Amino acid sequence: MGTMADAAKKDANGSLAEKNPTVVFVLGGPGSGKGTQCANIVEHFGFTHLSAGDLLRAEIKSGSENGTMIQNMIKEGKIVPSEVTIKLLQRAMLECGNDKFLIDGFPRNEENRAAFEAVTGIEPAFVLFFDCPEEEMEKRLLSRNQGREDDNIETIRKRFKVFLESSLPVIEHYDSRGKVRKIDAARPVDEVFESVKTFFSPKIEKAD
């Protein structure tokens, strides 16, 4: 009963740990510019960019049983269990020929973090944290959504609040282990990338 599933899980875990991938968690509030910087890192340093949100949306779109379950949970306002998101990340990492991954927008909270490490047996090489003042992020998001300022401002502030309450403990955990690389993300895109590059260059040159 369920032995095939167990075997598959063991297989996935084994081969992922054996792959010994370089994992970098990318965290930052909405509007901190992390999506743009992830694209730059992919282009310059050959990482594969995995977004937990995109993987969940793709699974829903696929119409699989898993996707339907995820869709129903989101509809009911429930949080998708960590294990579900982690399995999608794990599958994407295994199916990809690369061994360098940027995981964007995950872990969203301490529970995600602990579950990722327990399920995959992998700790991130480091955490890239795009630190940006709330006013700057707000300004960026509002200019992105022109014409809808009023109905957006409340939503945006709620998103900030959720980010601060849930993600900051994750950042503090990794900071205590010397794994956080904090970037001042309020500056222009090019300047921010100059800072980002300093954390990747030496390691990637060695890998290539």
Side-chain angles (χ1 to χ4, degrees):
M1 309 296 290
T3 47
M4 272 178 73
D6 291 343
K9 188 180 170 191
K10 229 176 256 164
D11 254 19
N13 282 359
S15 41
L16 192 57
E18 279 158 27
K19 198 173 183 178
N20 193 18
T22 298
V23 171
V24 175
F25 288 148
V26 182
L27 296 175
S32 61
K34 63 187 170 65
T36 306
Q37 296 302 332
C38 281
N40 283 337
I41 296 164
V42 167
E43 189 187 334
H44 287 80
F45 300 112
F47 271 69
T48 295
H49 177 208
L50 297 177
S51 154
D54 288 353
L55 288 172
L56 288 167
R57 283 185 284 275
E59 189 68 14
I60 289 168
K61 226 176 177 177
S62 76
S64 71
E65 205 177 310
N66 202 26
T68 307
M69 185 260 298
I70 293 166
Q71 190 170 28
N72 290 339
M73 294 196 77
I74 291 171
K75 259 191 207 147
E76 290 163 23
K78 291 179 182 164
I79 288 171
V80 178
S82 296
E83 278 71 17
V84 172
T85 309
I86 291 162
K87 276 193 187 123
L88 292 176
L89 285 166
Q90 223 175 3
R91 189 171 75 196
M93 288 162 83
L94 281 166
E95 285 171 359
C96 169
N98 203 349
D99 63 351
K100 299 182 295 195
F101 299 96
L102 294 174
I103 299 186
D104 176 8
F106 184 93
R108 292 181 85 96
N109 54 40
E110 265 291 280
E111 195 263 332
N112 274 177
R113 177 201 67 72
F116 181 86
E117 291 184 10
V119 171
T120 63
I122 292 165
E123 270 200 47
F126 59 90
V127 177
L128 203 54
F129 172 40
F130 290 99
D131 192 21
C132 195
E134 204 169 305
E135 311 77 70
E136 177 60 29
M137 292 195 282
E138 200 171 283
K139 198 168 74 186
R140 289 176 184 179
L141 290 171
L142 289 174
S143 67
R144 220 188 269 177
N145 303 326
Q146 275 155 349
R148 290 176 46 208
E149 275 94 342
D150 291 326
D151 57 326
N152 263 330
I153 195 92
E154 277 315 302
T155 317
I156 286 168
R157 286 187 178 152
K158 259 184 213 144
R159 284 170 70 197
F160 289 150
K161 191 169 182 287
V162 167
F163 172 73
L164 287 172
E165 287 173 357
S166 58
S167 299
L168 281 183
V170 175
I171 291 160
E172 281 163 8
H173 168 85
Y174 285 121
D175 201 24
S176 72
R177 310 185 63 153
K179 288 198 169 198
V180 173
R181 309 290 178 265
K182 192 152 105 170
I183 303 277
D184 171 7
R187 298 166 300 157
V189 170
D190 293 348
E191 282 182 37
V192 172
F193 189 53
E194 284 307 311
S195 298
V196 167
K197 281 201 290 203
T198 63
F199 298 127
F200 286 88
S201 302
K203 189 169 65 181
I204 303 318
E205 276 159 19
K206 247 192 301 189
D208 293 346

mmCIF file of all heavy atoms in Angstrom, residues 33-76:
data_model
loop_
_atom_site.group_PDB
_atom_site.id
_atom_site.type_symbol
_atom_site.label_atom_id
_atom_site.label_comp_id
_atom_site.label_asym_id
_atom_site.label_seq_id
_atom_site.Cartn_x
_atom_site.Cartn_y
_atom_site.Cartn_z
ATOM 1 N N GLY A 33 12.079 44.148 -6.680
ATOM 2 C CA GLY A 33 12.854 43.985 -7.908
ATOM 3 C C GLY A 33 13.557 42.645 -8.035
ATOM 4 O O GLY A 33 14.423 42.471 -8.875
ATOM 5 N N LYS A 34 13.154 41.666 -7.193
ATOM 6 C CA LYS A 34 13.890 40.393 -7.220
ATOM 7 C C LYS A 34 13.689 39.629 -8.525
ATOM 8 O O LYS A 34 14.596 38.938 -8.981
ATOM 9 C CB LYS A 34 13.588 39.542 -5.987
ATOM 10 C CG LYS A 34 12.173 39.084 -5.825
ATOM 11 C CD LYS A 34 11.982 38.393 -4.484
ATOM 12 C CE LYS A 34 10.530 38.123 -4.177
ATOM 13 N NZ LYS A 34 9.871 37.184 -5.068
ATOM 14 N N GLY A 35 12.514 39.788 -9.154
ATOM 15 C CA GLY A 35 12.267 39.084 -10.426
ATOM 16 C C GLY A 35 13.256 39.520 -11.500
ATOM 17 O O GLY A 35 13.837 38.681 -12.206
ATOM 18 N N THR A 36 13.473 40.827 -11.604
ATOM 19 C CA THR A 36 14.417 41.382 -12.584
ATOM 20 C C THR A 36 15.820 40.874 -12.304
ATOM 21 O O THR A 36 16.557 40.491 -13.215
ATOM 22 C CB THR A 36 14.408 42.927 -12.487
ATOM 23 O OG1 THR A 36 13.056 43.366 -12.617
ATOM 24 C CG2 THR A 36 15.263 43.576 -13.536
ATOM 25 N N GLN A 37 16.203 40.870 -11.031
ATOM 26 C CA GLN A 37 17.562 40.442 -10.671
ATOM 27 C C GLN A 37 17.751 38.942 -10.907
ATOM 28 O O GLN A 37 18.818 38.505 -11.311
ATOM 29 C CB GLN A 37 17.875 40.820 -9.224
ATOM 30 C CG GLN A 37 17.891 42.322 -8.966
ATOM 31 C CD GLN A 37 18.896 43.071 -9.843
ATOM 32 O OE1 GLN A 37 19.910 42.527 -10.253
ATOM 33 N NE2 GLN A 37 18.606 44.332 -10.129
ATOM 34 N N CYS A 38 16.693 38.161 -10.663
ATOM 35 C CA CYS A 38 16.779 36.715 -10.934
ATOM 36 C C CYS A 38 17.062 36.488 -12.420
ATOM 37 O O CYS A 38 17.890 35.648 -12.784
ATOM 38 C CB CYS A 38 15.477 36.012 -10.552
ATOM 39 S SG CYS A 38 15.325 35.717 -8.776
ATOM 40 N N ALA A 39 16.384 37.251 -13.282
ATOM 41 C CA ALA A 39 16.601 37.118 -14.730
ATOM 42 C C ALA A 39 18.055 37.432 -15.071
ATOM 43 O O ALA A 39 18.680 36.754 -15.895
ATOM 44 C CB ALA A 39 15.649 38.041 -15.483
ATOM 45 N N ASN A 40 18.622 38.452 -14.419
ATOM 46 C CA ASN A 40 20.029 38.812 -14.645
ATOM 47 C C ASN A 40 20.975 37.700 -14.208
ATOM 48 O O ASN A 40 21.952 37.391 -14.888
ATOM 49 C CB ASN A 40 20.390 40.085 -13.860
ATOM 50 C CG ASN A 40 19.861 41.341 -14.539
ATOM 51 O OD1 ASN A 40 19.610 41.335 -15.739
ATOM 52 N ND2 ASN A 40 19.686 42.399 -13.780
ATOM 53 N N ILE A 41 20.688 37.092 -13.049
ATOM 54 C CA ILE A 41 21.550 36.026 -12.517
ATOM 55 C C ILE A 41 21.507 34.810 -13.463
ATOM 56 O O ILE A 41 22.534 34.197 -13.755
ATOM 57 C CB ILE A 41 21.116 35.620 -11.081
ATOM 58 C CG1 ILE A 41 21.304 36.803 -10.115
ATOM 59 C CG2 ILE A 41 21.915 34.413 -10.592
ATOM 60 C CD1 ILE A 41 20.571 36.650 -8.784
ATOM 61 N N VAL A 42 20.307 34.490 -13.948
ATOM 62 C CA VAL A 42 20.147 33.374 -14.886
ATOM 63 C C VAL A 42 21.005 33.623 -16.126
ATOM 64 O O VAL A 42 21.755 32.758 -16.577
ATOM 65 C CB VAL A 42 18.655 33.215 -15.285
ATOM 66 C CG1 VAL A 42 18.482 32.299 -16.487
ATOM 67 C CG2 VAL A 42 17.854 32.679 -14.098
ATOM 68 N N GLU A 43 20.896 34.846 -16.652
ATOM 69 C CA GLU A 43 21.607 35.190 -17.891
ATOM 70 C C GLU A 43 23.130 35.174 -17.701
ATOM 71 O O GLU A 43 23.868 34.652 -18.523
ATOM 72 C CB GLU A 43 21.151 36.588 -18.341
ATOM 73 C CG GLU A 43 21.641 36.955 -19.720
ATOM 74 C CD GLU A 43 21.328 38.409 -20.074
ATOM 75 O OE1 GLU A 43 20.356 38.971 -19.513
ATOM 76 O OE2 GLU A 43 22.077 38.969 -20.880
ATOM 77 N N HIS A 44 23.607 35.738 -16.592
ATOM 78 C CA HIS A 44 25.056 35.882 -16.405
ATOM 79 C C HIS A 44 25.738 34.678 -15.753
ATOM 80 O O HIS A 44 26.916 34.449 -15.968
ATOM 81 C CB HIS A 44 25.362 37.134 -15.564
ATOM 82 C CG HIS A 44 25.147 38.401 -16.330
ATOM 83 N ND1 HIS A 44 23.896 38.951 -16.507
ATOM 84 C CD2 HIS A 44 26.020 39.202 -16.980
ATOM 85 C CE1 HIS A 44 24.012 40.057 -17.233
ATOM 86 N NE2 HIS A 44 25.287 40.228 -17.532
ATOM 87 N N PHE A 45 24.999 33.947 -14.913
ATOM 88 C CA PHE A 45 25.670 32.904 -14.128
ATOM 89 C C PHE A 45 25.109 31.502 -14.332
ATOM 90 O O PHE A 45 25.485 30.573 -13.622
ATOM 91 C CB PHE A 45 25.639 33.277 -12.640
ATOM 92 C CG PHE A 45 26.326 34.577 -12.351
ATOM 93 C CD1 PHE A 45 25.610 35.688 -11.936
ATOM 94 C CD2 PHE A 45 27.691 34.714 -12.534
ATOM 95 C CE1 PHE A 45 26.237 36.901 -11.690
ATOM 96 C CE2 PHE A 45 28.340 35.921 -12.295
ATOM 97 C CZ PHE A 45 27.605 37.020 -11.871
ATOM 98 N N GLY A 46 24.168 31.364 -15.285
ATOM 99 C CA GLY A 46 23.701 30.027 -15.646
ATOM 100 C C GLY A 46 22.874 29.301 -14.612
ATOM 101 O O GLY A 46 22.806 28.076 -14.616
ATOM 102 N N PHE A 47 22.229 30.047 -13.721
ATOM 103 C CA PHE A 47 21.331 29.410 -12.750
ATOM 104 C C PHE A 47 19.982 29.120 -13.417
ATOM 105 O O PHE A 47 19.626 29.729 -14.424
ATOM 106 C CB PHE A 47 21.089 30.345 -11.557
ATOM 107 C CG PHE A 47 22.089 30.193 -10.451
ATOM 108 C CD1 PHE A 47 23.407 30.593 -10.630
ATOM 109 C CD2 PHE A 47 21.729 29.667 -9.223
ATOM 110 C CE1 PHE A 47 24.345 30.456 -9.614
ATOM 111 C CE2 PHE A 47 22.654 29.526 -8.200
ATOM 112 C CZ PHE A 47 23.958 29.925 -8.392
ATOM 113 N N THR A 48 19.232 28.188 -12.848
ATOM 114 C CA THR A 48 17.836 27.968 -13.247
ATOM 115 C C THR A 48 16.956 28.650 -12.205
ATOM 116 O O THR A 48 17.148 28.450 -11.006
ATOM 117 C CB THR A 48 17.524 26.456 -13.306
ATOM 118 O OG1 THR A 48 18.320 25.891 -14.357
ATOM 119 C CG2 THR A 48 16.062 26.198 -13.595
ATOM 120 N N HIS A 49 16.001 29.444 -12.684
ATOM 121 C CA HIS A 49 15.132 30.222 -11.797
ATOM 122 C C HIS A 49 13.838 29.443 -11.558
ATOM 123 O O HIS A 49 13.115 29.129 -12.491
ATOM 124 C CB HIS A 49 14.834 31.565 -12.488
ATOM 125 C CG HIS A 49 13.897 32.444 -11.724
ATOM 126 N ND1 HIS A 49 13.074 33.355 -12.324
ATOM 127 C CD2 HIS A 49 13.654 32.553 -10.401
ATOM 128 C CE1 HIS A 49 12.367 33.997 -11.399
ATOM 129 N NE2 HIS A 49 12.709 33.521 -10.223
ATOM 130 N N LEU A 50 13.568 29.105 -10.311
ATOM 131 C CA LEU A 50 12.324 28.413 -9.965
ATOM 132 C C LEU A 50 11.488 29.298 -9.055
ATOM 133 O O LEU A 50 11.954 29.721 -8.004
ATOM 134 C CB LEU A 50 12.626 27.092 -9.245
ATOM 135 C CG LEU A 50 13.397 26.022 -10.027
ATOM 136 C CD1 LEU A 50 13.672 24.827 -9.129
ATOM 137 C CD2 LEU A 50 12.641 25.587 -11.272
ATOM 138 N N SER A 51 10.269 29.578 -9.478
ATOM 139 C CA SER A 51 9.371 30.361 -8.639
ATOM 140 C C SER A 51 8.293 29.436 -8.105
ATOM 141 O O SER A 51 7.592 28.769 -8.876
ATOM 142 C CB SER A 51 8.731 31.484 -9.476
ATOM 143 O OG SER A 51 7.493 31.864 -8.922
ATOM 144 N N ALA A 52 8.188 29.383 -6.783
ATOM 145 C CA ALA A 52 7.195 28.498 -6.153
ATOM 146 C C ALA A 52 5.791 28.829 -6.674
ATOM 147 O O ALA A 52 5.007 27.937 -7.021
ATOM 148 C CB ALA A 52 7.254 28.646 -4.638
ATOM 149 N N GLY A 53 5.482 30.116 -6.779
ATOM 150 C CA GLY A 53 4.155 30.554 -7.258
ATOM 151 C C GLY A 53 3.886 30.079 -8.680
ATOM 152 O O GLY A 53 2.802 29.569 -8.992
ATOM 153 N N ASP A 54 4.894 30.223 -9.551
ATOM 154 C CA ASP A 54 4.732 29.791 -10.950
ATOM 155 C C ASP A 54 4.512 28.289 -11.045
ATOM 156 O O ASP A 54 3.707 27.812 -11.845
ATOM 157 C CB ASP A 54 5.976 30.159 -11.784
ATOM 158 C CG ASP A 54 6.078 31.659 -12.048
ATOM 159 O OD1 ASP A 54 5.117 32.390 -11.703
ATOM 160 O OD2 ASP A 54 7.112 32.095 -12.573
ATOM 161 N N LEU A 55 5.242 27.531 -10.218
ATOM 162 C CA LEU A 55 5.099 26.068 -10.242
ATOM 163 C C LEU A 55 3.700 25.650 -9.796
ATOM 164 O O LEU A 55 3.101 24.743 -10.372
ATOM 165 C CB LEU A 55 6.154 25.405 -9.345
ATOM 166 C CG LEU A 55 7.598 25.432 -9.867
ATOM 167 C CD1 LEU A 55 8.561 24.929 -8.791
ATOM 168 C CD2 LEU A 55 7.758 24.592 -11.131
ATOM 169 N N LEU A 56 3.179 26.331 -8.776
ATOM 170 C CA LEU A 56 1.820 26.021 -8.304
ATOM 171 C C LEU A 56 0.797 26.350 -9.396
ATOM 172 O O LEU A 56 -0.110 25.570 -9.673
ATOM 173 C CB LEU A 56 1.496 26.809 -7.020
ATOM 174 C CG LEU A 56 2.205 26.344 -5.746
ATOM 175 C CD1 LEU A 56 2.060 27.375 -4.634
ATOM 176 C CD2 LEU A 56 1.667 24.989 -5.265
ATOM 177 N N ARG A 57 0.982 27.533 -10.039
ATOM 178 C CA ARG A 57 0.043 27.923 -11.109
ATOM 179 C C ARG A 57 0.098 26.940 -12.286
ATOM 180 O O ARG A 57 -0.924 26.575 -12.852
ATOM 181 C CB ARG A 57 0.345 29.352 -11.587
ATOM 182 C CG ARG A 57 -0.177 30.421 -10.615
ATOM 183 C CD ARG A 57 0.013 31.837 -11.152
ATOM 184 N NE ARG A 57 1.390 32.287 -11.052
ATOM 185 C CZ ARG A 57 1.911 32.842 -9.954
ATOM 186 N NH1 ARG A 57 1.159 32.991 -8.873
ATOM 187 N NH2 ARG A 57 3.170 33.244 -9.930
ATOM 188 N N ALA A 58 1.319 26.504 -12.631
ATOM 189 C CA ALA A 58 1.472 25.561 -13.750
ATOM 190 C C ALA A 58 0.804 24.226 -13.416
ATOM 191 O O ALA A 58 0.178 23.593 -14.281
ATOM 192 C CB ALA A 58 2.955 25.350 -14.049
ATOM 193 N N GLU A 59 0.915 23.804 -12.166
ATOM 194 C CA GLU A 59 0.312 22.528 -11.746
ATOM 195 C C GLU A 59 -1.215 22.622 -11.830
ATOM 196 O O GLU A 59 -1.882 21.688 -12.273
ATOM 197 C CB GLU A 59 0.764 22.195 -10.315
ATOM 198 C CG GLU A 59 0.387 20.813 -9.840
ATOM 199 C CD GLU A 59 1.119 19.667 -10.549
ATOM 200 O OE1 GLU A 59 2.132 19.913 -11.251
ATOM 201 O OE2 GLU A 59 0.673 18.520 -10.409
ATOM 202 N N ILE A 60 -1.769 23.775 -11.431
ATOM 203 C CA ILE A 60 -3.224 23.984 -11.514
ATOM 204 C C ILE A 60 -3.651 23.909 -12.983
ATOM 205 O O ILE A 60 -4.621 23.249 -13.338
ATOM 206 C CB ILE A 60 -3.611 25.356 -10.896
ATOM 207 C CG1 ILE A 60 -3.440 25.307 -9.370
ATOM 208 C CG2 ILE A 60 -5.036 25.748 -11.268
ATOM 209 C CD1 ILE A 60 -3.507 26.659 -8.671
ATOM 210 N N LYS A 61 -2.907 24.585 -13.836
ATOM 211 C CA LYS A 61 -3.209 24.650 -15.271
ATOM 212 C C LYS A 61 -3.159 23.264 -15.912
ATOM 213 O O LYS A 61 -3.885 22.982 -16.853
ATOM 214 C CB LYS A 61 -2.181 25.551 -15.961
ATOM 215 C CG LYS A 61 -2.789 26.552 -16.913
ATOM 216 C CD LYS A 61 -1.697 27.454 -17.456
ATOM 217 C CE LYS A 61 -2.259 28.428 -18.472
ATOM 218 N NZ LYS A 61 -1.203 29.344 -18.931
ATOM 219 N N SER A 62 -2.280 22.399 -15.390
ATOM 220 C CA SER A 62 -2.104 21.066 -15.985
ATOM 221 C C SER A 62 -3.361 20.214 -15.830
ATOM 222 O O SER A 62 -3.521 19.205 -16.511
ATOM 223 C CB SER A 62 -0.928 20.346 -15.335
ATOM 224 O OG SER A 62 -1.313 19.866 -14.045
ATOM 225 N N GLY A 63 -4.239 20.603 -14.887
ATOM 226 C CA GLY A 63 -5.484 19.859 -14.687
ATOM 227 C C GLY A 63 -5.289 18.535 -13.962
ATOM 228 O O GLY A 63 -6.192 17.711 -13.886
ATOM 229 N N SER A 64 -4.078 18.323 -13.384
ATOM 230 C CA SER A 64 -3.828 17.073 -12.656
ATOM 231 C C SER A 64 -4.644 17.051 -11.360
ATOM 232 O O SER A 64 -5.160 18.078 -10.919
ATOM 233 C CB SER A 64 -2.344 16.957 -12.318
ATOM 234 O OG SER A 64 -2.011 17.904 -11.311
ATOM 235 N N GLU A 65 -4.712 15.865 -10.772
ATOM 236 C CA GLU A 65 -5.426 15.707 -9.493
ATOM 237 C C GLU A 65 -4.804 16.637 -8.439
ATOM 238 O O GLU A 65 -5.506 17.298 -7.672
ATOM 239 C CB GLU A 65 -5.267 14.247 -9.055
ATOM 240 C CG GLU A 65 -6.366 13.764 -8.144
ATOM 241 C CD GLU A 65 -6.186 12.293 -7.793
ATOM 242 O OE1 GLU A 65 -5.982 11.482 -8.724
ATOM 243 O OE2 GLU A 65 -6.230 11.975 -6.596
ATOM 244 N N ASN A 66 -3.493 16.664 -8.441
ATOM 245 C CA ASN A 66 -2.747 17.530 -7.525
ATOM 246 C C ASN A 66 -3.114 19.000 -7.759
ATOM 247 O O ASN A 66 -3.336 19.774 -6.826
ATOM 248 C CB ASN A 66 -1.248 17.310 -7.795
ATOM 249 C CG ASN A 66 -0.392 17.710 -6.614
ATOM 250 O OD1 ASN A 66 -0.845 17.703 -5.468
ATOM 251 N ND2 ASN A 66 0.844 18.068 -6.889
ATOM 252 N N GLY A 67 -3.190 19.370 -9.065
ATOM 253 C CA GLY A 67 -3.519 20.746 -9.438
ATOM 254 C C GLY A 67 -4.900 21.153 -8.966
ATOM 255 O O GLY A 67 -5.118 22.269 -8.471
ATOM 256 N N THR A 68 -5.852 20.233 -9.096
ATOM 257 C CA THR A 68 -7.227 20.514 -8.660
ATOM 258 C C THR A 68 -7.257 20.709 -7.147
ATOM 259 O O THR A 68 -7.924 21.616 -6.635
ATOM 260 C CB THR A 68 -8.153 19.335 -9.059
ATOM 261 O OG1 THR A 68 -7.971 19.097 -10.451
ATOM 262 C CG2 THR A 68 -9.604 19.649 -8.777
ATOM 263 N N MET A 69 -6.507 19.875 -6.432
ATOM 264 C CA MET A 69 -6.455 19.989 -4.967
ATOM 265 C C MET A 69 -5.870 21.365 -4.573
ATOM 266 O O MET A 69 -6.396 22.046 -3.695
ATOM 267 C CB MET A 69 -5.585 18.851 -4.424
ATOM 268 C CG MET A 69 -5.515 18.760 -2.912
ATOM 269 S SD MET A 69 -4.016 19.469 -2.197
ATOM 270 C CE MET A 69 -2.715 18.497 -2.859
ATOM 271 N N ILE A 70 -4.802 21.764 -5.273
ATOM 272 C CA ILE A 70 -4.163 23.065 -4.984
ATOM 273 C C ILE A 70 -5.156 24.196 -5.256
ATOM 274 O O ILE A 70 -5.313 25.109 -4.437
ATOM 275 C CB ILE A 70 -2.887 23.240 -5.852
ATOM 276 C CG1 ILE A 70 -1.805 22.228 -5.425
ATOM 277 C CG2 ILE A 70 -2.343 24.667 -5.749
ATOM 278 C CD1 ILE A 70 -0.643 22.088 -6.417
ATOM 279 N N GLN A 71 -5.846 24.104 -6.405
ATOM 280 C CA GLN A 71 -6.799 25.154 -6.780
ATOM 281 C C GLN A 71 -7.904 25.290 -5.738
ATOM 282 O O GLN A 71 -8.275 26.393 -5.337
ATOM 283 C CB GLN A 71 -7.409 24.815 -8.141
ATOM 284 C CG GLN A 71 -8.236 25.951 -8.725
ATOM 285 C CD GLN A 71 -8.620 25.674 -10.164
ATOM 286 O OE1 GLN A 71 -8.741 24.519 -10.573
ATOM 287 N NE2 GLN A 71 -8.814 26.718 -10.935
ATOM 288 N N ASN A 72 -8.418 24.147 -5.275
ATOM 289 C CA ASN A 72 -9.493 24.179 -4.274
ATOM 290 C C ASN A 72 -9.020 24.814 -2.967
ATOM 291 O O ASN A 72 -9.748 25.586 -2.344
ATOM 292 C CB ASN A 72 -10.029 22.767 -4.005
ATOM 293 C CG ASN A 72 -10.795 22.248 -5.209
ATOM 294 O OD1 ASN A 72 -11.251 23.025 -6.047
ATOM 295 N ND2 ASN A 72 -10.914 20.935 -5.327
ATOM 296 N N MET A 73 -7.790 24.497 -2.573
ATOM 297 C CA MET A 73 -7.257 25.062 -1.326
ATOM 298 C C MET A 73 -7.130 26.584 -1.444
ATOM 299 O O MET A 73 -7.481 27.323 -0.532
ATOM 300 C CB MET A 73 -5.894 24.466 -1.013
ATOM 301 C CG MET A 73 -5.962 22.994 -0.694
ATOM 302 S SD MET A 73 -4.469 22.416 0.094
ATOM 303 C CE MET A 73 -4.704 23.021 1.747
ATOM 304 N N ILE A 74 -6.628 27.037 -2.604
ATOM 305 C CA ILE A 74 -6.453 28.482 -2.802
ATOM 306 C C ILE A 74 -7.823 29.165 -2.803
ATOM 307 O O ILE A 74 -7.994 30.216 -2.193
ATOM 308 C CB ILE A 74 -5.653 28.752 -4.103
ATOM 309 C CG1 ILE A 74 -4.200 28.285 -3.900
ATOM 310 C CG2 ILE A 74 -5.689 30.227 -4.479
ATOM 311 C CD1 ILE A 74 -3.340 28.274 -5.150
ATOM 312 N N LYS A 75 -8.808 28.530 -3.480
ATOM 313 C CA LYS A 75 -10.167 29.087 -3.528
ATOM 314 C C LYS A 75 -10.744 29.242 -2.129
ATOM 315 O O LYS A 75 -11.453 30.201 -1.827
ATOM 316 C CB LYS A 75 -11.081 28.151 -4.334
ATOM 317 C CG LYS A 75 -11.320 28.629 -5.752
ATOM 318 C CD LYS A 75 -12.430 27.810 -6.388
ATOM 319 C CE LYS A 75 -12.261 27.758 -7.898
ATOM 320 N NZ LYS A 75 -12.711 26.488 -8.468
ATOM 321 N N GLU A 76 -10.457 28.263 -1.289
ATOM 322 C CA GLU A 76 -10.997 28.295 0.079
ATOM 323 C C GLU A 76 -10.163 29.176 1.005
ATOM 324 O O GLU A 76 -10.414 29.249 2.208
ATOM 325 C CB GLU A 76 -11.056 26.872 0.645
ATOM 326 C CG GLU A 76 -12.123 26.012 -0.014
ATOM 327 C CD GLU A 76 -11.904 24.522 0.252
ATOM 328 O OE1 GLU A 76 -11.243 24.200 1.252
ATOM 329 O OE2 GLU A 76 -12.389 23.702 -0.549
#
